[in-house]
Amino acid sequence: MSAYPTIDQFNEAVQNPSTAFTDTILRSGKVRTNGFGYPIALGGGFALTYTVEAGGHRYAVRCFHKSTNGLEGRYARISQSLVSIGKPYFVGFEYQPEGVRVNGRGLPIVKMDWASGETLGAYIEARHRDAAAIGKLITEFRDLETFLRSKGVAHGDLQNGNLLVNGALKLIDYDGMYVPGLPVGQGTEIGQKHFQHPRRSAADFGPTMDRFSFIAIDLSLRALKERPDLFQRFSNGENIILTASDYADPAASEAFAQLRGISTLARDTDNLAQICAAAPSAVPTLEDFLAGRSIPAKIISLTRPAGIVSPKAAAYIGAYPVVDATDFGEVLRAVGDRVEMIGRIVEVKVDRTKYGRPYVFLNFGHWKGRVAKVNIWSDGLKKLAQAPDPSWAGKWISVTGLVDPPFENKKHGYTHLSITLTEANQMRVIDESEAKRRLESRGKSANLRPTTGSANQDVLSRLGVQPTGGSRTTSKKSHIAGIPAAIASAQQKLPNGRGTHPQITTPNEAILASLSGNSRRAPSNTGTRLGSSGSRVILPPPTYQPPPRKDSGIPGWVWLIGIGVLILLIGAR
């Protein structure tokens, strides 16, 4: 099969539901849009998810933009199984093999009933200090685990974004689900890393693949109930407390050390460390884990007290591929993928749409050029405890989400790439050292991005971006003045500890290079720029400058005619 359409081609199609969808109800619907009037697509795995309102009801429509073998057969089997076992934890759905037409081609969709509620991530973000709410959540997860295990069913990707909380738990996204009758060991995905065994693979697909996730969630929630402060310290928006980096090396993990320091959790924390070191097939059920049964033989010893710095820093393993917000080519190649974008805010635009709705743009470069940014429309602002303002210029942030298609304005000479923030847990303010640690993980095996094939190549070519060095791309011409000199200067100044100099290719890396040694972080209300000698210059926060507006005065030719008429009148006298 030829390459799937790009996200912008899907967006263009679904803007007209009457011609895009084959489903009678969806054809009469309206797709949810952003402040520019473009469809909002939420991404993850193989599909783009659109919200469609039709006939007084709301639906989540999953459009598949990546190839996945046996999709129709799997969904047929899943549908049959959920009907037979009942669906207290599931939502109704319908697989349509040619449910959407893009460029004249019929493509599969899953039309899902809308499930109201907060995502697990948003729910915990708002209530991690509410011991009663967390305690109730622990009970609900244990009931869910018992139910799924009794039916021989496994979801395959239990995580913050795939569980809704509204009085009870609801599971969404069934792309990787196992139900009886599907072939064991033939998975198509391995789940979000912060909730999965560090050695999980597609071969672990089957009825037991949720065991590790339930154990990690249960232990993390119990820790929050005892010490809610752990959430602020260890949550990155895509986890609860523990991350893939912790599972990969529990002995070096500060999070494991903190959990082990809680007396009621010490035994279970030690046991989870042994589970991480063993094979995925050795993971016990949640019931056995809580009873201390069927734990793999001891391999790892957690002896480091909490608060004692590990002699080796754990490598960063993100939930999604990491991209540098100032590497336009790298971000462009990720269009249509869910990523973690790291960067330092250069400009903050606070304004209202023509309909009077507030919005905020967080720009990682000057607006008039090729720049990545974060879009926060009115719905997203409502989810934030505090809306960003101009004082955020100079802050480093991490934001996760789907990279939207490029927005080009040839008149004013700019092209913007963006991630749209819809939930508070998508974004975190981080410091320079953490930004450096995460950016250094780019291109390593733990963070390799699944390619979207050639689908984005036409966009890359149109914007003048060519691949260099395999997976990396850079724009032909930098849109930020002075950056090449700053990069070159920083390149000469920062040794990597082995007598050589690391390759520095982006503005973020140049800034991070200058932070080595005794450098201190600039105040959050200032900007930082590298001078030609590599020194740091503290600047006042940059101010967003709107595009130039046309002069609304009287055109010159009108003045000329008026003067001519006046001269004729005077001459006639």
Side-chain angles (χ1 to χ4, degrees), residues 38-84:
Y38 297 130
I40 295 177
L42 303 178
F46 301 98
L48 304 170
T49 302
Y50 297 95
T51 303
V52 180
E53 295 186 4
H57 297 280
R58 186 178 295 178
Y59 301 92
V61 180
R62 294 175 56 77
C63 299
F64 293 88
H65 68 126
K66 298 178 185 177
S67 178
T68 171
N69 295 329
L71 182 68
E72 183 172 2
R74 286 205 313 277
Y75 262 103
R77 174 65 68 175
I78 292 169
S79 178
Q80 293 170 5
S81 293
L82 297 189
V83 169
S84 65

Short mmCIF file of all heavy atoms in Angstrom, two decimals, residues 38-84:
data_model
loop_
_atom_site.label_atom_id
_atom_site.label_comp_id
_atom_site.label_asym_id
_atom_site.label_seq_id
_atom_site.Cartn_x
_atom_site.Cartn_y
_atom_site.Cartn_z
N TYR A 38 -8.90 25.58 12.13
CA TYR A 38 -8.45 24.31 11.58
C TYR A 38 -8.81 23.16 12.53
O TYR A 38 -8.85 23.34 13.76
CB TYR A 38 -6.93 24.32 11.37
CG TYR A 38 -6.48 25.35 10.37
CD1 TYR A 38 -5.45 26.24 10.68
CD2 TYR A 38 -7.07 25.45 9.11
CE1 TYR A 38 -5.03 27.20 9.76
CE2 TYR A 38 -6.66 26.39 8.20
CZ TYR A 38 -5.64 27.27 8.53
OH TYR A 38 -5.23 28.21 7.62
N PRO A 39 -9.05 21.96 12.01
CA PRO A 39 -9.40 20.82 12.87
C PRO A 39 -8.31 20.53 13.90
O PRO A 39 -7.11 20.61 13.59
CB PRO A 39 -9.54 19.67 11.87
CG PRO A 39 -9.87 20.32 10.57
CD PRO A 39 -9.10 21.61 10.57
N ILE A 40 -8.73 20.19 15.11
CA ILE A 40 -7.79 19.78 16.16
C ILE A 40 -7.64 18.26 16.09
O ILE A 40 -8.61 17.52 16.24
CB ILE A 40 -8.29 20.19 17.55
CG1 ILE A 40 -8.34 21.71 17.67
CG2 ILE A 40 -7.40 19.60 18.64
CD1 ILE A 40 -8.90 22.21 18.99
N ALA A 41 -6.42 17.81 15.84
CA ALA A 41 -6.13 16.38 15.78
C ALA A 41 -5.28 16.00 16.98
O ALA A 41 -4.25 16.62 17.24
CB ALA A 41 -5.40 16.04 14.48
N LEU A 42 -5.73 15.01 17.73
CA LEU A 42 -4.94 14.48 18.83
C LEU A 42 -4.28 13.21 18.33
O LEU A 42 -4.91 12.39 17.66
CB LEU A 42 -5.83 14.19 20.03
CG LEU A 42 -6.64 15.39 20.56
CD1 LEU A 42 -7.51 14.96 21.73
CD2 LEU A 42 -5.71 16.53 20.96
N GLY A 43 -3.00 13.05 18.63
CA GLY A 43 -2.25 11.94 18.06
C GLY A 43 -1.76 10.95 19.08
O GLY A 43 -1.65 11.24 20.26
N GLY A 44 -1.42 9.79 18.59
CA GLY A 44 -0.85 8.74 19.41
C GLY A 44 -0.93 7.43 18.65
O GLY A 44 -1.96 7.10 18.08
N GLY A 45 0.18 6.70 18.63
CA GLY A 45 0.16 5.42 17.94
C GLY A 45 -0.03 5.57 16.45
O GLY A 45 0.64 6.35 15.78
N PHE A 46 -1.02 4.86 15.93
CA PHE A 46 -1.23 4.81 14.49
C PHE A 46 -2.30 5.77 14.00
O PHE A 46 -2.56 5.83 12.80
CB PHE A 46 -1.65 3.38 14.09
CG PHE A 46 -0.65 2.33 14.46
CD1 PHE A 46 -0.81 1.57 15.61
CD2 PHE A 46 0.46 2.10 13.66
CE1 PHE A 46 0.11 0.60 15.94
CE2 PHE A 46 1.38 1.13 13.99
CZ PHE A 46 1.22 0.38 15.14
N ALA A 47 -2.95 6.50 14.90
CA ALA A 47 -4.15 7.24 14.50
C ALA A 47 -4.14 8.70 14.92
O ALA A 47 -3.49 9.09 15.89
CB ALA A 47 -5.39 6.55 15.07
N LEU A 48 -4.89 9.50 14.16
CA LEU A 48 -5.23 10.87 14.51
C LEU A 48 -6.67 10.84 15.00
O LEU A 48 -7.53 10.23 14.37
CB LEU A 48 -5.12 11.79 13.29
CG LEU A 48 -3.78 11.82 12.57
CD1 LEU A 48 -3.91 12.58 11.25
CD2 LEU A 48 -2.72 12.46 13.45
N THR A 49 -6.94 11.51 16.12
CA THR A 49 -8.28 11.48 16.68
C THR A 49 -8.92 12.86 16.58
O THR A 49 -8.36 13.85 17.06
CB THR A 49 -8.25 11.03 18.15
OG1 THR A 49 -7.64 9.74 18.24
CG2 THR A 49 -9.66 10.95 18.72
N TYR A 50 -10.08 12.91 15.94
CA TYR A 50 -10.84 14.15 15.79
C TYR A 50 -12.12 14.05 16.63
O TYR A 50 -12.70 12.97 16.79
CB TYR A 50 -11.22 14.39 14.33
CG TYR A 50 -10.04 14.58 13.41
CD1 TYR A 50 -9.52 13.51 12.69
CD2 TYR A 50 -9.44 15.82 13.26
CE1 TYR A 50 -8.43 13.67 11.84
CE2 TYR A 50 -8.35 16.00 12.41
CZ TYR A 50 -7.86 14.92 11.71
OH TYR A 50 -6.77 15.09 10.87
N THR A 51 -12.56 15.19 17.13
CA THR A 51 -13.83 15.26 17.85
C THR A 51 -14.90 15.76 16.89
O THR A 51 -14.76 16.82 16.29
CB THR A 51 -13.73 16.22 19.05
OG1 THR A 51 -12.67 15.79 19.91
CG2 THR A 51 -15.03 16.25 19.83
N VAL A 52 -15.98 14.98 16.75
CA VAL A 52 -17.06 15.33 15.83
C VAL A 52 -18.37 15.40 16.61
O VAL A 52 -18.72 14.45 17.34
CB VAL A 52 -17.19 14.29 14.69
CG1 VAL A 52 -18.32 14.68 13.74
CG2 VAL A 52 -15.87 14.18 13.92
N GLU A 53 -19.08 16.51 16.47
CA GLU A 53 -20.40 16.65 17.08
C GLU A 53 -21.45 16.53 15.99
O GLU A 53 -21.40 17.24 14.98
CB GLU A 53 -20.52 18.00 17.79
CG GLU A 53 -19.58 18.13 18.98
CD GLU A 53 -19.81 19.41 19.77
OE1 GLU A 53 -20.75 20.15 19.42
OE2 GLU A 53 -19.05 19.66 20.72
N ALA A 54 -22.40 15.61 16.21
CA ALA A 54 -23.43 15.36 15.20
C ALA A 54 -24.68 14.82 15.88
O ALA A 54 -24.60 13.95 16.76
CB ALA A 54 -22.93 14.36 14.16
N GLY A 55 -25.82 15.32 15.46
CA GLY A 55 -27.09 14.81 15.97
C GLY A 55 -27.24 14.91 17.47
O GLY A 55 -27.88 14.05 18.09
N GLY A 56 -26.64 15.93 18.07
CA GLY A 56 -26.74 16.10 19.51
C GLY A 56 -25.81 15.20 20.30
O GLY A 56 -25.87 15.16 21.53
N HIS A 57 -24.93 14.47 19.61
CA HIS A 57 -23.98 13.59 20.28
C HIS A 57 -22.56 13.95 19.86
O HIS A 57 -22.34 14.63 18.85
CB HIS A 57 -24.27 12.12 19.93
CG HIS A 57 -25.61 11.64 20.39
ND1 HIS A 57 -25.87 11.26 21.69
CD2 HIS A 57 -26.79 11.50 19.72
CE1 HIS A 57 -27.13 10.89 21.80
NE2 HIS A 57 -27.72 11.04 20.62
N ARG A 58 -21.62 13.47 20.64
CA ARG A 58 -20.21 13.71 20.34
C ARG A 58 -19.51 12.38 20.13
O ARG A 58 -19.77 11.40 20.84
CB ARG A 58 -19.55 14.48 21.49
CG ARG A 58 -18.12 14.91 21.23
CD ARG A 58 -17.56 15.69 22.40
NE ARG A 58 -18.26 16.95 22.61
CZ ARG A 58 -17.98 17.80 23.59
NH1 ARG A 58 -17.02 17.50 24.45
NH2 ARG A 58 -18.65 18.92 23.71
N TYR A 59 -18.60 12.36 19.15
CA TYR A 59 -17.87 11.13 18.82
C TYR A 59 -16.38 11.43 18.73
O TYR A 59 -15.96 12.53 18.35
CB TYR A 59 -18.35 10.56 17.48
CG TYR A 59 -19.81 10.23 17.43
CD1 TYR A 59 -20.74 11.18 16.99
CD2 TYR A 59 -20.29 8.99 17.84
CE1 TYR A 59 -22.09 10.90 16.96
CE2 TYR A 59 -21.64 8.70 17.81
CZ TYR A 59 -22.54 9.66 17.37
OH TYR A 59 -23.89 9.38 17.35
N ALA A 60 -15.59 10.42 19.07
CA ALA A 60 -14.15 10.47 18.84
C ALA A 60 -13.89 9.63 17.59
O ALA A 60 -14.19 8.43 17.57
CB ALA A 60 -13.38 9.91 20.03
N VAL A 61 -13.38 10.27 16.55
CA VAL A 61 -13.15 9.57 15.28
C VAL A 61 -11.65 9.40 15.08
O VAL A 61 -10.91 10.37 14.95
CB VAL A 61 -13.76 10.36 14.10
CG1 VAL A 61 -13.50 9.63 12.79
CG2 VAL A 61 -15.25 10.56 14.32
N ARG A 62 -11.22 8.15 15.08
CA ARG A 62 -9.80 7.82 14.95
C ARG A 62 -9.51 7.48 13.48
O ARG A 62 -10.02 6.49 12.96
CB ARG A 62 -9.42 6.65 15.85
CG ARG A 62 -9.53 7.01 17.33
CD ARG A 62 -9.28 5.83 18.25
NE ARG A 62 -7.99 5.18 18.03
CZ ARG A 62 -6.83 5.66 18.44
NH1 ARG A 62 -6.78 6.81 19.08
NH2 ARG A 62 -5.72 4.99 18.21
N CYS A 63 -8.69 8.33 12.85
CA CYS A 63 -8.31 8.13 11.45
C CYS A 63 -6.88 7.59 11.42
O CYS A 63 -5.96 8.23 11.96
CB CYS A 63 -8.38 9.45 10.69
SG CYS A 63 -10.02 10.20 10.65
N PHE A 64 -6.67 6.46 10.79
CA PHE A 64 -5.37 5.81 10.81
C PHE A 64 -4.46 6.40 9.73
O PHE A 64 -4.78 6.35 8.54
CB PHE A 64 -5.53 4.30 10.64
CG PHE A 64 -6.23 3.68 11.82
CD1 PHE A 64 -7.61 3.60 11.86
CD2 PHE A 64 -5.50 3.22 12.90
CE1 PHE A 64 -8.27 3.06 12.95
CE2 PHE A 64 -6.14 2.68 14.00
CZ PHE A 64 -7.52 2.61 14.04
N HIS A 65 -3.32 6.95 10.18
CA HIS A 65 -2.39 7.58 9.25
C HIS A 65 -1.08 6.82 9.15
O HIS A 65 -0.13 7.30 8.54
CB HIS A 65 -2.14 9.04 9.66
CG HIS A 65 -1.38 9.21 10.95
ND1 HIS A 65 -0.23 9.95 11.04
CD2 HIS A 65 -1.60 8.71 12.18
CE1 HIS A 65 0.21 9.93 12.28
NE2 HIS A 65 -0.61 9.18 12.99
N LYS A 66 -1.03 5.64 9.75
CA LYS A 66 0.14 4.77 9.63
C LYS A 66 -0.36 3.35 9.43
O LYS A 66 -1.40 2.96 9.97
CB LYS A 66 1.03 4.85 10.87
CG LYS A 66 1.61 6.22 11.13
CD LYS A 66 2.43 6.24 12.40
CE LYS A 66 2.91 7.65 12.71
NZ LYS A 66 3.66 7.72 13.99
N SER A 67 0.40 2.60 8.69
CA SER A 67 0.00 1.23 8.38
C SER A 67 0.13 0.33 9.60
O SER A 67 1.10 0.42 10.36
CB SER A 67 0.88 0.67 7.25
OG SER A 67 0.53 -0.67 6.97
N THR A 68 -0.86 -0.51 9.82
CA THR A 68 -0.80 -1.51 10.88
C THR A 68 -1.46 -2.79 10.37
O THR A 68 -2.62 -2.77 9.92
CB THR A 68 -1.49 -1.02 12.17
OG1 THR A 68 -1.59 -2.10 13.10
CG2 THR A 68 -2.86 -0.45 11.90
N ASN A 69 -0.73 -3.88 10.40
CA ASN A 69 -1.21 -5.13 9.82
C ASN A 69 -2.39 -5.71 10.59
O ASN A 69 -2.42 -5.70 11.82
CB ASN A 69 -0.07 -6.16 9.80
CG ASN A 69 1.06 -5.75 8.88
OD1 ASN A 69 0.84 -5.07 7.88
ND2 ASN A 69 2.28 -6.14 9.22
N GLY A 70 -3.36 -6.21 9.86
CA GLY A 70 -4.48 -6.93 10.46
C GLY A 70 -5.42 -6.07 11.27
O GLY A 70 -6.12 -6.57 12.16
N LEU A 71 -5.47 -4.77 10.98
CA LEU A 71 -6.27 -3.85 11.79
C LEU A 71 -7.75 -4.24 11.80
O LEU A 71 -8.38 -4.32 12.85
CB LEU A 71 -6.11 -2.42 11.24
CG LEU A 71 -6.84 -1.32 12.00
CD1 LEU A 71 -6.22 -1.13 13.38
CD2 LEU A 71 -6.78 0.00 11.22
N GLU A 72 -8.31 -4.51 10.62
CA GLU A 72 -9.73 -4.81 10.53
C GLU A 72 -10.07 -6.10 11.28
O GLU A 72 -11.05 -6.16 12.03
CB GLU A 72 -10.16 -4.93 9.07
CG GLU A 72 -11.66 -5.17 8.89
CD GLU A 72 -12.09 -5.07 7.43
OE1 GLU A 72 -11.22 -4.87 6.55
OE2 GLU A 72 -13.30 -5.19 7.18
N GLY A 73 -9.24 -7.13 11.11
CA GLY A 73 -9.49 -8.39 11.80
C GLY A 73 -9.41 -8.26 13.31
O GLY A 73 -10.22 -8.85 14.04
N ARG A 74 -8.44 -7.48 13.79
CA ARG A 74 -8.29 -7.29 15.24
C ARG A 74 -9.50 -6.57 15.81
O ARG A 74 -10.04 -6.96 16.85
CB ARG A 74 -7.01 -6.50 15.55
CG ARG A 74 -5.74 -7.29 15.39
CD ARG A 74 -4.61 -6.73 16.26
NE ARG A 74 -4.48 -5.29 16.15
CZ ARG A 74 -3.81 -4.66 15.19
NH1 ARG A 74 -3.24 -5.37 14.23
NH2 ARG A 74 -3.72 -3.35 15.17
N TYR A 75 -9.92 -5.49 15.15
CA TYR A 75 -11.06 -4.74 15.68
C TYR A 75 -12.35 -5.55 15.62
O TYR A 75 -13.23 -5.42 16.48
CB TYR A 75 -11.21 -3.40 14.96
CG TYR A 75 -10.58 -2.26 15.73
CD1 TYR A 75 -9.35 -1.74 15.36
CD2 TYR A 75 -11.21 -1.73 16.85
CE1 TYR A 75 -8.76 -0.70 16.08
CE2 TYR A 75 -10.64 -0.70 17.57
CZ TYR A 75 -9.42 -0.19 17.19
OH TYR A 75 -8.84 0.83 17.92
N ALA A 76 -12.49 -6.40 14.63
CA ALA A 76 -13.67 -7.26 14.56
C ALA A 76 -13.70 -8.21 15.75
O ALA A 76 -14.74 -8.41 16.40
CB ALA A 76 -13.67 -8.04 13.25
N ARG A 77 -12.54 -8.80 16.07
CA ARG A 77 -12.45 -9.72 17.21
C ARG A 77 -12.67 -8.98 18.53
O ARG A 77 -13.37 -9.47 19.42
CB ARG A 77 -11.09 -10.40 17.21
CG ARG A 77 -10.81 -11.27 18.42
CD ARG A 77 -11.72 -12.47 18.51
NE ARG A 77 -11.46 -13.42 17.44
CZ ARG A 77 -12.06 -14.61 17.34
NH1 ARG A 77 -12.98 -14.96 18.23
NH2 ARG A 77 -11.77 -15.42 16.34
N ILE A 78 -12.09 -7.79 18.66
CA ILE A 78 -12.25 -7.00 19.88
C ILE A 78 -13.71 -6.64 20.09
O ILE A 78 -14.25 -6.74 21.19
CB ILE A 78 -11.37 -5.73 19.82
CG1 ILE A 78 -9.89 -6.11 19.88
CG2 ILE A 78 -11.70 -4.78 20.97
CD1 ILE A 78 -8.95 -4.96 19.57
N SER A 79 -14.38 -6.22 19.01
CA SER A 79 -15.79 -5.84 19.10
C SER A 79 -16.64 -7.01 19.57
O SER A 79 -17.49 -6.87 20.46
CB SER A 79 -16.28 -5.35 17.74
OG SER A 79 -17.65 -5.01 17.79
N GLN A 80 -16.40 -8.19 19.00
CA GLN A 80 -17.16 -9.38 19.40
C GLN A 80 -16.95 -9.71 20.88
O GLN A 80 -17.89 -10.02 21.61
CB GLN A 80 -16.75 -10.57 18.54
CG GLN A 80 -17.12 -10.44 17.07
CD GLN A 80 -16.49 -11.53 16.21
OE1 GLN A 80 -15.84 -12.45 16.73
NE2 GLN A 80 -16.65 -11.44 14.90
N SER A 81 -15.70 -9.61 21.33
CA SER A 81 -15.38 -9.96 22.71
C SER A 81 -16.01 -8.99 23.70
O SER A 81 -16.56 -9.39 24.73
CB SER A 81 -13.87 -9.99 22.92
OG SER A 81 -13.28 -11.04 22.18
N LEU A 82 -15.94 -7.69 23.40
CA LEU A 82 -16.48 -6.71 24.33
C LEU A 82 -18.00 -6.82 24.45
O LEU A 82 -18.57 -6.56 25.51
CB LEU A 82 -16.08 -5.30 23.91
CG LEU A 82 -14.58 -4.99 23.92
CD1 LEU A 82 -14.34 -3.50 23.70
CD2 LEU A 82 -13.92 -5.45 25.21
N VAL A 83 -18.65 -7.21 23.36
CA VAL A 83 -20.10 -7.41 23.42
C VAL A 83 -20.43 -8.59 24.33
O VAL A 83 -21.36 -8.54 25.13
CB VAL A 83 -20.67 -7.65 22.00
CG1 VAL A 83 -22.12 -8.13 22.09
CG2 VAL A 83 -20.59 -6.37 21.18
N SER A 84 -19.62 -9.64 24.24
CA SER A 84 -19.91 -10.85 25.02
C SER A 84 -19.60 -10.69 26.51
O SER A 84 -20.28 -11.27 27.35
CB SER A 84 -19.13 -12.04 24.45
OG SER A 84 -17.73 -11.83 24.62
#
